[in-house]
């Protein structure tokens, strides 16, 4: 959306939490999307499909993403984010989504934000903190880690803003 002065933002950095399909990636690990794909369990299970004309994969602005990754290439993971319609709470289903979509991470809002940016020609990227792994206790993990994840993410964004002079 335009701001109060009728201008679009120059860029968008979406921040938030992420579930992680790859259980070898530690909780409270920062992640930046290399792409975001629209996910659906029916599609992942081979029981449904998206119409061919529908956009199902979007890519962040490479320079913005690289700028965030340069904060700490060792600690920040990059990979595909899936945006399903519901939080995945089953490890086997998470494995199917990971394999079928090539996704490491899950965030329910990122595809929508990226789509809005694309429709307005606004460059975008994200910084998400892994708050939970995909399994039946995902919500409990999210509750345990979301406050700390918010603090870590805020500190990283402040550092990034200070370094870039934005």
């Amino acid at each position: 959306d335009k701001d109060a002065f009728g201008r679009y933002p120059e860029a968008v950095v979406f921040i938030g939490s992420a579930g992680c399909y790859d259980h070898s990636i530690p909780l409270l690990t920062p992640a930046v999307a290399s792409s975001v794909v629209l996910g659906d369990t029916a599609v992942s299970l081979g029981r449904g499909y998206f119409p061919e004309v529908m956009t199902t994969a979007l890519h962040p602005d490479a320079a913005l993403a690289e700028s965030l990754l340069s904060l700490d290439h060792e600690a920040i993971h990059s990979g595909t984010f899936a945006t399903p319609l519901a939080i995945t709470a089953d490890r086997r289903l998470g494995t199917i989504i990971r394999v079928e979509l090539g996704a490491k991470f899950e965030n329910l809002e990122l595809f929508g934000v990226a789509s809005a940016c694309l429709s307005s020609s606004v460059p975008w990227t994200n910084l998400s903190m892994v708050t939970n792994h995909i399994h039946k206790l995902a919500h409990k993990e999210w509750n345990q880690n979301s406050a700390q994840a918010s603090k870590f993410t805020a500190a990283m964004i402040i550092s990034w803003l200070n370094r870039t002079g934005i």
Side-chain angles (χ1 to χ4, degrees):
D1 271 346
K2 294 180 180 180
D3 66 13
F5 302 103
R7 301 172 302 193
Y8 286 108
E10 291 181 29
V12 170
V13 178
F14 174 83
I15 59 173
S17 62
C20 190
Y21 299 112
D22 182 345
H23 290 239
S24 70
I25 296 175
L27 297 174
L28 301 176
T29 295
V32 172
S34 58
S35 63
V36 59
V37 294
L38 188 58
D40 181 79
T41 53
V43 172
S44 294
L45 293 169
R47 297 181 184 147
Y49 63 93
F50 291 118
E52 287 182 29
V53 297
M54 189 172 173
T55 300
T56 59
L58 300 168
H59 299 277
D61 180 82
L64 274 176
E66 187 58 38
S67 179
L68 281 171
L69 286 167
S70 71
L71 282 171
D72 188 349
H73 268 290
E74 299 291 320
I76 301 174
H77 282 249
S78 180
T80 298
F81 276 66
T83 294
L85 295 176
I87 296 167
T88 307
D90 180 83
R91 188 171 180 159
R92 285 185 298 154
L93 181 56
T95 299
I96 292 167
I97 292 170
R98 180 177 53 82
V99 170
E100 292 299 316
L101 298 178
K104 286 185 183 180
F105 308 101
E106 176 174 294
N107 179 281
L108 271 56
E109 300 84 16
L110 185 56
F111 191 87
V113 170
S115 295
C117 290
L118 178 66
S119 70
S120 300
S121 300
V122 175
W124 69 274
T125 191
N126 77 305
L127 178 65
S128 299
M129 196 67 62
V130 174
T131 51
N132 57 278
H133 290 115
I134 304 300
H135 55 72
K136 66 182 179 180
L137 298 176
H139 188 66
K140 182 178 179 181
E141 278 183 348
W142 183 88
N143 282 328
Q144 291 171 340
N145 294 307
S146 63
Q148 190 66 34
S150 294
K151 289 177 187 175
F152 288 167
T153 304
M156 289 183 76
I157 289 294
I158 289 168
S159 173
W160 178 73
L161 291 171
N162 287 335
R163 197 190 70 199
T164 60
I166 294 176

